[in-house]
Amino acid sequence: MGWKTSLIIIENPNNFDNEIAILEAIGKSNFQFQKETTLSQGMYPGDKSISIGKYNGNIIICEDYQITTKTLENSDDFNLTIEEQKLSKLFPTSEIIQVACHSVVNYHAYSLIKNGEKIRAKVISSETPLIELGKRMIEEEKIYSKSYQKNGANFWKDETDPDEEYTEDQLMEDFAFGIAKRRLGVFLDQLEGEKLLDEVPFNKYIKGKNGFFQKILKSFSK
């Protein structure tokens, strides 16, 4: 199965539920509610929509590569983008994880913001070299512990065929969904993730003409 997805996962210990404020933080204040959906439908909608849901004490934002592409692919330093800054203000003590992957080119990227500071970021694909900042997370270390280096790159032996080896981009699912599990508690590409993918309700938002509906909803949330 090919995977295409981009997610922002936010630790939510205080049960924050103002989705309008979240949309404003990521620059989508003119988006309006369309319908209820699921993570499996929202993780790669292809229509530039935003879907928001809750699971295991976290807020999950599916943003169709609109935010993660900007924030992850420009991870050449620890500075936060405007969207990251605003989300950090809403959740100043939370972990904020961004994860994106695209199986066509084995692209996977992720970052970790904690207490308002970016402490880890990584980007790689079959067409681009590894870029990483900060100390590796424990979830990554478990994967890297089985690797070896050759010509400055990381490789892994195929456990079923010792003569074959994997490049780092080929471990896209291991890295991307392993980092997502840090907060979600399940691997999205395994059986344990089916309930989250297909049963947990998400609210889907699409771009409106003038944000009128958002203004009305915001007035009720005060």
Side-chain angles (χ1 to χ4, degrees):
M1 176 180 179
W3 289 94
K4 304 178 184 68
T5 187
S6 59
L7 306 171
I8 302 172
I9 308 167
I10 305 171
E11 182 182 14
N12 187 29
N14 298 320
N15 200 29
F16 183 91
D17 63 358
N18 188 339
E19 295 183 359
I20 305 307
I22 292 173
L23 290 169
E24 290 180 344
I26 60 175
K28 305 299 180 182
S29 59
N30 62 334
F31 275 46
Q32 63 190 54
F33 176 79
Q34 183 189 45
K35 64 179 182 179
E36 190 173 284
T37 186
T38 62
L39 178 57
S40 61
Q41 295 173 324
M43 63 196 312
Y44 183 59
D47 59 5
K48 299 302 179 183
S49 62
I50 303 290
S51 293
I52 302 174
K54 292 182 181 180
Y55 185 77
N56 196 26
N58 302 280
I59 294 171
I60 306 170
I61 307 170
C62 308
E63 38 67 53
D64 205 17
Y65 297 104
Q66 298 176 82
I67 311 301
T68 51
T69 296
K70 175 182 177 181
T71 58
L72 293 173
E73 295 186 4
N74 293 313
S75 293
D76 54 356
D77 56 44
F78 290 103
N79 293 328
L80 302 183
T81 64
I82 293 175
E83 293 85 356
E84 290 172 326
Q85 290 175 29
K86 290 183 177 181
L87 284 175
S88 295
K89 286 183 179 179
L90 282 181
F91 305 94
T93 61
S94 294
E95 280 195 354
I96 301 175
I97 288 179
Q98 298 179 80
V99 179
C101 64
H102 199 298
S103 59
V104 172
V105 291
N106 285 338
Y107 163 78
H108 63 273
Y110 46 82
S111 69
L112 171 62
I113 296 171
K114 195 169 185 178
N115 297 322
E117 294 185 4
K118 185 178 293 183
I119 59 176
R120 174 64 176 156
K122 171 190 167 182
V123 183
I124 192 172
S125 76
S126 61
E127 300 174 347
T128 56
L130 171 66
I131 299 174
E132 59 179 340
L133 296 170
K135 183 180 179 181
R136 290 171 178 171
M137 292 177 257
I138 188 171
E139 293 81 6
E140 298 173 273
E141 291 289 10
K142 291 178 181 178
I143 304 172
Y144 282 116
S145 66
K146 299 179 181 180
S147 70
Y148 59 94
Q149 284 222 330
K150 185 170 63 175
N151 298 323
N154 298 303
F155 290 84
W156 285 257
K157 286 292 185 182
D158 185 335
E159 294 180 357
T160 61
D161 187 351
D163 293 328
E164 296 293 325
E165 61 186 8
Y166 292 109
T167 57
E168 186 160 347
D169 63 282
Q170 290 176 306
L171 271 68
M172 181 194 81
E173 290 92 340
D174 301 68
F175 280 106
F177 298 129
I179 297 303
K181 185 176 180 178
R182 176 185 176 96
R183 292 248 45 91
L184 300 178
V186 296
F187 281 102
L188 289 175
D189 61 333
Q190 297 181 16
L191 184 63
E192 64 184 22
E194 286 189 356
K195 179 179 180 179
L196 171 54
L197 285 170
D198 299 322
E199 297 180 25
V200 174
F202 278 65
N203 291 327
K204 180 174 181 176
Y205 296 87
I206 59 173
K207 187 176 181 179
K209 292 183 179 180
N210 53 19
F212 175 71
F213 294 100
Q214 296 293 37
K215 293 175 182 177
I216 293 176
L217 288 172
K218 185 177 180 181
S219 67
F220 282 108
S221 67
K222 292 181 178 179

